[in-house]
Amino acid sequence: MRNYRCTLCGETFDREEKSLTCPVCGDKGILDVEYDYEALKGVLTRDFFEANDNYTMWRYQDVMSVDDRFIKGTLRVGWTPLYEANRLGDVVGVKSLMIKDEGLNPTASLKDRASAVAVVKAMEEGYDTVACSSTGNAASSLAGNAARVGLSTVIFVPERAPQGKLAQLLIYGAKVISVQGDYRDTFELSKAAIDHWGWYNRNAAINPHLVEGKKTVALEIAEQMNWQVSDWVVVSVGDGCTIGGVYKGFYDCYMLGLINRIPKILGVQAEGCCPFYTAYLSDEPLKPTEENTLADSISVGIPRNPVKGLNAVKASGGTWITVTDEAILEAMKTLGSSEGIFGEPAGVTGLAGLIKAVQEGIVTPDESVAMIVTGNGLKDVKNALQAAGEPIKCEPDIEALKPYMV
C-alpha cells in the first residue's frame, strides 16, 4: 500500500497512520487504502497469477494492506467456485449467468475475507482481542478466524440474530453480547466498548483494511473469468462495505491493466431496509431507515460506509433496486432447485434483484451477469423452511405414497 485517502475530505495520510478513520473528519471520515499501480503493473501481470499456486485470497496479498508475517496458519479463505449456471440463466432471462458461491468459505460467508484480514492486522499490531458488532455473518466469521490463530473475540449482535449464527459464535469460543435493540444500538455499544477496553476493531465500516479483504471476491471473479468480466455484477447490500469492496477489486484490476473495463454493479436491497436505494432516488445523503426485513445480514438501517457504497454503483455505471421479502424467499428456492446452491436470505437477495431488473429492462437478455451469493442457507434454517415449504407426510405404506408421486 502507498497511503490512505479520506473519502470525505480527500486528504491523504501516511501508511503508518494508526487511526482507522480520518484524523481530520473523525469517525465519518472513512479511509480508502491507495496503491502505486504503476509500480505494481510490471509485477502483477496475468502471467504472474497464472504461475501462482496459492489458491486462497492471499494470492492477492500484493494489493492488500497486510504483510505476510502472520498469513500462514489462517483458515483457508477464498478461491470459492464461480459456476456457470446450468438452468438459472434461462429462468432469469439472461444469456450468460455466473454464480459466485461465497457460502463455501470456512464459516460459510463472504465475511471471512474481511475477518481473515482483521485477525492478521490485529496480530501485526500486537492485539490479543478483536471485537465487532454484526447482524451475524461478520461476527461468526471473526470468531472462527480468530479461534484459528488464538485470538480472543468479543461479539455484539442484535437480539434478532438467527440461531445458526449464534451457534457458530458460541462454538468458536466467542464472548457473545446479545444486545436488546436493533443493529444501530448494537453498533454503538460495540464502539463504546472497543474504545473503553482497547480491543482491535473489526467493524468493516470503520476499518479500511477490511474492504481490502472483501475486494478479493472481485479479483477472483475477474481471474476466474479469464479477465473477461461480465457486463453486470450483482451484489446484495447492507452496510455498504461489501459492494464497496467489490468495486475496489475491479478498480484494482483495471488500474493494473488486467481488465479493460469495470462491470456495472447492481446494488440490491430489501424493501424493508433500503437506505442506499432511497438516497439514490432522492440524490440526497443517506438517512436512517427501519430494519424490517427477514434478510438479517443486510438489515442495516444506518449504513456506516455510505460513501464507498454509493460510489461503487455510481462509478461503475450501475444502479440500485429493491425487492420484497417474498421475492427473497422465492429466490432461495429458485437458486437451490435450479443450481443446487443453498443461499441464506441476504445471500440470494441479489438473485431476487436480478430477476426484477431483467423484468424491468434494466438488465437486458443479451447481457452477461455475475452474481455473488454471499452466505450459506444453513445459517438461517427458519427462513429456509419458510421458503421451501413442508415435507410430504405419509404413512409407511406404498399405497399411501402413490398419490404424491404423480
Side-chain angles (χ1 to χ4, degrees):
M1 66 176 285
R2 181 170 59 185
N3 54 33
Y4 300 99
R5 182 180 297 275
C6 177
T7 56
L8 282 185
C9 69
E11 188 75 23
T12 59
F13 304 95
D14 186 83
R15 61 184 296 172
E16 301 305 319
E17 172 64 48
K18 293 300 182 183
S19 174
L20 292 178
T21 55
C22 177
V24 177
C25 300
D27 287 349
K28 291 185 178 181
I30 306 300
L31 299 177
D32 224 348
V33 177
E34 293 193 330
Y35 298 89
D36 187 343
Y37 294 109
E38 287 302 315
L40 292 169
K41 270 185 178 179
V43 178
L44 302 183
T45 63
R46 294 184 182 185
D47 288 342
F48 169 86
F49 288 111
E50 188 172 346
N52 191 334
D53 61 0
N54 178 2
Y55 289 101
T56 72
M57 63 181 280
W58 302 120
R59 70 190 279 109
Y60 308 110
Q61 186 255 329
D62 292 292
V63 279
M64 299 171 72
S65 52
V66 296
D67 61 38
D68 58 5
R69 286 179 295 155
F70 299 102
I71 288 174
K72 187 176 181 180
T74 56
L75 290 174
R76 188 190 181 285
V77 177
W79 206 253
T80 55
L82 181 70
Y83 297 110
E84 182 177 2
N86 287 332
R87 286 168 292 279
L88 189 60
D90 291 335
V91 174
V92 173
V94 293
K95 69 170 185 178
S96 174
L97 177 60
M98 307 297 290
I99 308 164
K100 183 68 166 167
D101 187 4
E102 286 294 284
L104 295 183
N105 278 307
T107 75
S109 84
L110 184 149
K111 300 294 178 69
D112 281 330
R113 296 178 184 273
S115 291
V117 170
V119 300
V120 168
K121 293 301 292 185
M123 290 188 291
E124 282 181 18
E125 297 180 23
Y127 288 84
D128 59 12
T129 302
V130 189
C132 75
S133 63
S134 168
T135 54
N137 279 335
S140 56
S141 75
L142 175 60
N145 281 274
R148 170 67 177 166
V149 297
L151 294 176
S152 298
T153 49
V154 182
I155 308 295
F156 298 80
V157 296
E159 57 186 339
R160 61 174 163 77
Q163 292 296 303
K165 296 174 185 179
L166 287 175
Q168 279 187 294
L169 288 168
L170 296 168
I171 285 292
Y172 293 143
K175 182 174 289 184
V176 182
I177 313 299
S178 179
V179 180
Q180 297 178 21
D182 59 16
Y183 180 68
R184 70 191 74 179
D185 298 319
T186 306
F187 182 91
E188 293 301 332
L189 181 58
S190 74
K191 182 179 181 301
I194 289 168
D195 290 343
H196 181 80
W197 279 285
W199 302 317
Y200 187 78
N201 191 338
R202 185 253 179 253
N203 285 321
I206 296 295
N207 191 327
H209 302 290
L210 304 196
V211 168
E212 300 303 294
K214 289 190 174 189
K215 77 179 183 184
T216 60
V217 69
L219 289 158
E220 284 179 21
I221 290 172
E223 186 176 359
Q224 289 170 327
M225 297 188 76
N226 198 29
W227 311 109
Q228 304 301 311
V229 293
S230 54
D231 296 311
W232 287 89
V233 173
V234 183
V235 189
S236 55
V237 181
D239 226 351
C241 305
T242 296
I243 197 169
V246 169
Y247 174 77
K248 182 74 181 298
F250 286 121
Y251 177 81
D252 283 356
C253 288
Y254 180 75
M255 294 300 292
L256 291 169
L258 296 168
I259 59 176
N260 60 15
R261 59 179 174 80
I262 295 173
K264 292 175 286 187
I265 297 177
L266 179 66
V268 188
Q269 293 209 281
E271 282 187 3
C273 188
C274 56
F276 279 102
Y277 176 76
T278 302
Y280 162 73
L281 285 184
S282 64
D283 196 25
E284 295 178 354
L286 265 72
K287 298 176 182 177
T289 65
E290 295 298 316
E291 297 177 357
N292 186 23
T293 174
L294 55 79
D296 68 283
S297 292
I298 56 171
S299 186
V300 182
I302 305 180
R304 306 291 171 169
N305 215 328
V307 175
K308 290 184 184 180
L310 287 169
N311 181 66
V313 171
K314 183 177 181 180
S316 72
T319 192
W320 294 89
I321 201 167
T322 62
V323 293
T324 64
D325 280 0
E326 291 74 21
I328 292 171
L329 291 174
E330 185 62 31
M332 290 181 73
K333 189 172 183 179
T334 298
L335 178 62
S337 61
S338 64
E339 298 293 340
I341 297 172
F342 188 11
E344 67 169 321
V348 304
T349 297
L351 172 57
L354 174 60
I355 293 170
K356 184 176 178 181
V358 172
Q359 291 171 347
E360 295 186 355
I362 297 170
V363 177
T364 60
D366 62 336
E367 290 183 300
S368 57
V369 181
M371 178 184 73
I372 302 173
V373 180
T374 52
N376 188 277
L378 288 173
K379 288 172 169 285
D380 191 348
V381 173
K382 178 182 176 182
N383 280 311
L385 290 172
Q386 185 179 345
E390 293 292 325
I392 296 169
K393 297 179 181 179
C394 179
E395 296 292 328
D397 183 319
I398 189 69
E399 295 301 322
L401 179 60
K402 286 179 179 179
Y404 300 106
M405 297 296 106
V406 176

